[in-house]
Amino acid sequence: MMKRTMVLMAVIAIAMITVLAQEIPQVMNVMSRQSLSLNGDWHYLVDVQEEGYYDYRMKPIDWGFMLNAKPQRPEDLIEYNFDAAPTMRVPGDWNTQDERLFFYEGTVWLQRYFDYKPQGNRRALLYFGAVNYECHVYVNGRKAGHHVGGFTPFNFDVTDLLHEGRNFVIVKVDNKRSVSAVPTLIFDWWNYGGITRDVLLMSVAPTYIENYSLQLDKGGRGKLRMLDFSLRLNHKEAGHKVTLNIPELKLKKTFYTDANGGVDGQLSISQSKLQLWSPATPKLYKVEIEMDGETVSDEIGFRTIETQGKQILLNGEPIFLKGISMHEEKPYGGGRANSAEDARTLLSWVKELGCNYVRLAHYPHNEYMVREAERMGIMVWSEIPCYWTIDWTNEDTYQNAQRQLSDMIVRDHNRVNIIIWSIANETPHSAERDHFLGRLARFARSQDSTRLISMAMEVTSASNYVNRLHDNMHQYVDVVSFNQYIGWYRDVNDAAKMTWEIPYDKPVIVSEFGGGAKYGLHGEKNQRWTEEFQENLYRENIRMLDKIDGLAGTTPWILKDFRSPRRVLTGIQDYYNRKGIFSDRGEKKLAFYVLRDWYRGK
């Protein structure tokens, strides 16, 4: 057994010959690219003490001395090693696929084989929708790259690491929490580890469309509306012919890339011909972008979102955001949600509730969720996990947060239903925090000026039933949002007596309120954890919310019960946060009907 363990570790070491592939910017709209799915069964090895990578001094190990005979090819020994290992599904989390790993935080190595055939001079890009939290990627024994951050996509150019025939990829995944990470050591959701979203091997031309944007300009020219179009190639090459085609609108225009490999232009269209996207009419147009004989297709909608005083305006008209918060967790039980089917199920519950809006908390959710919400007419608040006590003075932490913010915007800036980029949740006030978040807000606005900026603040003081909101971040946000748990964490049964002082001429969103209940537990309305307690809490909160001047929307906490290691009350929580209006099995609690009826009247 000892010899076998040593061989297994030696195999991993051989797989880590450090030849770094080319790291490249995120390629957007991977769903439209020519690709091979690497989803499916992957072998895995649990490496509790980092034996495959480091010794106790955290230095790379040369495991070669342990081998009696070195293999002629690294993959010979790799095959021996991983073929004996168990498998798990990718995308997926290890916590719900191996009961031994339910609470596990650490390193797991994952491996799979795939067949590859070169296609002339085309490039091969290895794409991961998300890996939580830090990963090192190796292809055929050579290093492809390294990524930090658990909820955004990344990709590497691995063309030069591949050969015709059988190839293999190994991913070292480490989900250990860190004080300097984003999120940091403490957060209130399950730290699902693994390759949690799709893995694709994309095939692209040597010069390809890396990114593009098509947005409705806020202004107009009489009876005409303007569509702003921009595009960037992966290389700075001038003279490439780019054709933008929107068949239904009979719009077709040709552009040529400039010396930076970019296009910036406009198209005009009669205002009467353009149907704007809204929750009532979630219109999407087929868009085709052709270059060098290859076409990238998308479905894109057009709308405007802005504020005026204390109102949010969608397409120039006031709208109330009837929302709910939700985590990226499967509809039934726990586990990371990662499919279009998961998204459709969860969002069908959102629609049944009468919502036109969701807060995707507390990190960017998978692309299926955003696109399904877009098709169903559901507006979206999307945020990064600057959650509670971030390491505000650490520049590396800031760069990590900014990278996650950038990657979120790059992936989804053509999704018409996203109306708010959120930069933080419930962060304690300090000068260092204001500087950190102020930088993020300015960065977000520099990357995308077509959407609103917000964050979930906290109430700073309360006395004699008067609640006061003061946050220096008010100067950076378009919408003032805050979380409050009156009736649960404080002032039980006093919610309806509360009044609010919010000294900002901006729209207000109550981004969280609610309380816990275990589905099927019944009793008096003042008995905590019963459905009747939660039902009454919602009634009392709604009476309070109706009195808030400038209230433009709410996203109560939360759509469904979700797993959290902080929630340990035996027989009630059992490692679930029970604030859902659906249970973890998809059963409606009494509070569902209270919220649904309120939304029907808004």
Side-chain angles (χ1 to χ4, degrees):
M1 180 61 70
M2 178 62 69
K3 181 178 179 181
R4 179 174 180 79
T5 300
M6 293 162 65
V7 170
L8 293 181
M9 295 301 100
V11 168
I12 295 173
I14 287 175
M16 296 184 301
I17 302 169
T18 305
V19 178
L20 189 66
Q22 182 184 1
E23 297 189 34
I24 57 174
Q26 181 191 151
V27 178
M28 72 169 302
N29 190 12
V30 298
M31 295 179 178
S32 180
R33 313 283 179 154
Q34 180 182 334
S35 64
L36 169 70
S37 173
L38 298 187
N39 294 347
D41 291 332
W42 288 52
H43 294 96
Y44 70 99
L45 295 170
V46 182
D47 189 5
V48 177
Q49 295 188 357
E50 301 281 2
E51 291 184 90
Y53 206 35
Y54 298 113
D55 67 6
Y56 69 94
R57 296 180 300 275
M58 302 302 283
K59 300 290 186 181
I61 291 179
D62 177 11
W63 289 94
F65 73 93
M66 292 186 175
L67 299 173
N68 293 325
K70 292 185 178 179
Q72 293 183 351
R73 301 180 306 162
E75 52 263 42
D76 291 339
L77 201 53
I78 292 289
E79 184 172 358
Y80 167 76
N81 173 41
F82 280 97
D83 281 354
T87 62
M88 69 170 61
R89 294 290 295 176
V90 168
D93 58 89
W94 62 58
N95 312 79
T96 56
Q97 296 191 72
D98 185 336
E99 63 181 11
R100 300 170 304 167
L101 303 179
F102 184 65
F103 289 105
Y104 182 67
E105 294 181 320
T107 288
V108 173
W109 297 81
L110 295 105
Q111 179 267 355
R112 72 154 291 167
Y113 300 104
F114 61 94
D115 292 323
Y116 173 74
K117 184 175 182 179
Q119 302 177 44
N121 64 348
R122 293 180 69 84
R123 309 298 295 177
L125 311 183
L126 183 57
Y127 167 89
F128 294 85
V131 177
N132 190 39
Y133 170 77
E134 180 177 4
C135 72
H136 296 262
V137 179
Y138 305 89
V139 175
N140 291 330
R142 292 179 290 171
K143 189 163 187 178
H146 169 233
H147 183 263
V148 174
F151 304 99
T152 53
F154 57 97
N155 36 237
F156 307 107
D157 187 332
V158 297
T159 311
D160 298 335
L161 305 184
L162 297 173
H163 53 250
E164 185 169 0
R166 195 185 208 201
N167 294 258
F168 64 89
V169 57
I170 296 176
V171 184
K172 177 187 185 292
V173 184
D174 185 350
N175 72 331
K176 286 192 297 291
R177 291 164 293 125
S178 166
V179 69
S180 59
V182 181
T184 186
L185 285 173
I186 301 174
F187 45 87
D188 188 18
W189 65 86
W190 206 267
N191 188 22
Y192 290 115
I195 303 174
T196 56
R197 297 180 190 162
D198 292 338
V199 185
L200 303 174
L201 186 66
M202 289 187 287
S203 174
V204 297
T207 299
Y208 58 87
I209 297 169
E210 183 178 275
N211 203 335
Y212 58 89
S213 174
L214 185 62
Q215 304 277 349
L216 177 64
D217 194 275
K218 290 182 180 179
R221 299 178 183 173
K223 296 181 180 181
L224 294 179
R225 298 302 298 262
M226 307 304 297
L227 301 181
D228 296 325
F229 175 62
S230 64
L231 175 146
R232 293 294 177 270
L233 305 181
N234 62 312
H235 294 311
K236 294 182 178 181
E237 295 180 2
H240 285 272
K241 181 181 176 181
V242 176
T243 302
L244 174 65
N245 185 23
I246 311 177
E248 188 176 344
L249 294 176
K250 295 181 170 59
L251 283 178
K252 191 172 186 178
K253 189 171 181 178
T254 297
F255 304 86
Y256 290 88
T257 59
D258 59 24
N260 291 316
V263 166
D264 289 286
Q266 285 190 319
L267 299 86
S268 62
I269 184 173
S270 169
Q271 191 162 244
S272 62
K273 291 183 178 180
L274 188 65
Q275 182 177 350
L276 300 183
W277 184 97
S278 72
T281 56
K283 176 64 178 177
L284 300 174
Y285 291 92
K286 183 178 180 180
V287 173
E288 300 170 333
I289 305 171
E290 191 273 336
M291 188 190 80
D292 298 340
E294 194 157 0
T295 300
V296 175
S297 299
D298 208 341
E299 290 185 322
I300 295 179
F302 305 105
R303 59 97 186 96
T304 61
I305 190 74
E306 56 196 325
T307 65
Q308 186 177 82
K310 295 186 177 183
Q311 291 182 320
I312 294 175
L313 305 181
L314 177 68
N315 301 325
E317 299 294 329
I319 188 167
F320 186 83
L321 305 181
K322 298 180 284 187
I324 191 76
S325 296
M326 55 190 296
H327 265 297
E328 189 187 58
E329 195 164 271
K330 285 187 175 295
Y332 305 106
R336 184 64 69 206
N338 50 37
S339 69
E341 182 181 1
D342 289 339
R344 283 191 290 269
T345 299
L346 292 166
L347 292 172
S348 70
W349 299 351
V350 171
K351 293 289 285 188
E352 190 177 358
L353 185 58
C355 296
N356 59 15
Y357 170 66
V358 291
R359 178 188 179 205
L360 301 183
H362 286 291
Y363 38 77
H365 287 214
N366 66 80
E367 192 168 357
Y368 295 113
M369 182 64 71
V370 178
R371 285 181 177 263
E372 289 297 325
E374 184 179 51
R375 296 184 184 104
M376 295 170 70
I378 300 172
M379 295 174 286
V380 166
W381 156 315
S382 186
E383 73 185 36
I384 58 171
C386 285
Y387 183 93
W388 292 354
T389 55
I390 294 294
D391 189 0
W392 305 116
T393 60
N394 188 325
E395 180 61 21
D396 289 341
T397 302
Y398 173 80
Q399 293 300 326
N400 182 346
Q402 181 175 288
R403 170 69 184 269
Q404 293 190 49
L405 178 59
S406 174
D407 287 347
M408 175 176 71
I409 293 172
V410 167
R411 193 194 74 179
D412 289 336
H413 65 256
N414 282 317
R415 305 281 62 85
V416 66
N417 59 328
I418 295 184
I419 61 171
I420 293 174
W421 300 125
S422 172
I423 57 174
N425 177 77
E426 289 184 1
T427 50
H429 295 201
S430 69
E432 294 77 13
R433 168 265 205 180
D434 293 347
H435 176 70
F436 187 108
L437 295 182
R439 288 176 68 187
L440 281 182
R442 291 190 295 270
F443 176 81
R445 208 174 296 281
S446 73
Q447 300 302 296
D448 181 8
S449 61
T450 69
R451 291 175 172 84
L452 308 177
I453 305 295
S454 193
M455 59 177 284
M457 303 173 182
E458 289 185 290
V459 178
T460 51
S461 64
S463 61
N464 297 323
Y465 302 115
V466 177
N467 298 274
R468 298 174 179 85
L469 181 69
H470 174 75
D471 197 308
N472 293 331
M473 288 300 296
H474 77 271
Q475 62 187 303
Y476 297 103
V477 299
D478 301 297
V479 179
V480 176
S481 306
F482 62 90
N483 302 344
Q484 61 83 17
Y485 283 94
I486 293 171
W488 184 249
Y489 291 127
R490 69 181 185 90
D491 302 302
V492 178
N493 299 322
D494 285 337
K497 302 176 184 177
M498 296 293 176
T499 59
W500 291 85
E501 291 183 359
I502 305 171
Y504 312 118
D505 187 29
K506 295 183 177 183
V508 173
I509 293 176
V510 178
S511 39
E512 291 181 27
F513 73 89
K518 183 173 182 180
Y519 175 79
L521 180 62
H522 295 285
E524 299 298 322
K525 68 180 182 179
N526 61 352
Q527 182 183 348
R528 290 177 72 89
W529 300 111
T530 64
E531 289 193 48
E532 286 77 11
F533 185 100
Q534 187 189 47
E535 175 188 39
N536 183 64
L537 184 152
Y538 267 76
R539 286 201 181 102
E540 295 294 297
N541 267 264
I542 285 169
R543 289 172 60 191
M544 174 190 67
L545 294 171
D546 279 333
K547 298 184 292 184
I548 295 178
D549 180 41
L551 184 69
T554 64
T555 49
W557 193 258
I558 186 171
L559 179 67
K560 68 173 289 283
D561 294 349
F562 62 95
R563 281 192 167 139
S564 172
R566 296 171 57 85
R567 310 294 174 165
V568 299
L569 183 59
T570 302
I572 299 292
Q573 293 173 311
D574 299 317
Y575 299 109
Y576 276 95
N577 186 312
R578 296 292 185 189
K579 294 187 182 70
I581 57 174
F582 284 84
S583 75
D584 59 291
R585 300 171 184 263
E587 303 146 321
K588 297 184 185 74
K589 303 178 190 178
L590 294 175
F592 168 91
Y593 302 98
V594 176
L595 185 60
R596 183 197 62 183
D597 291 347
W598 184 53
Y599 280 162
R600 283 178 174 176
K602 298 299 286 184

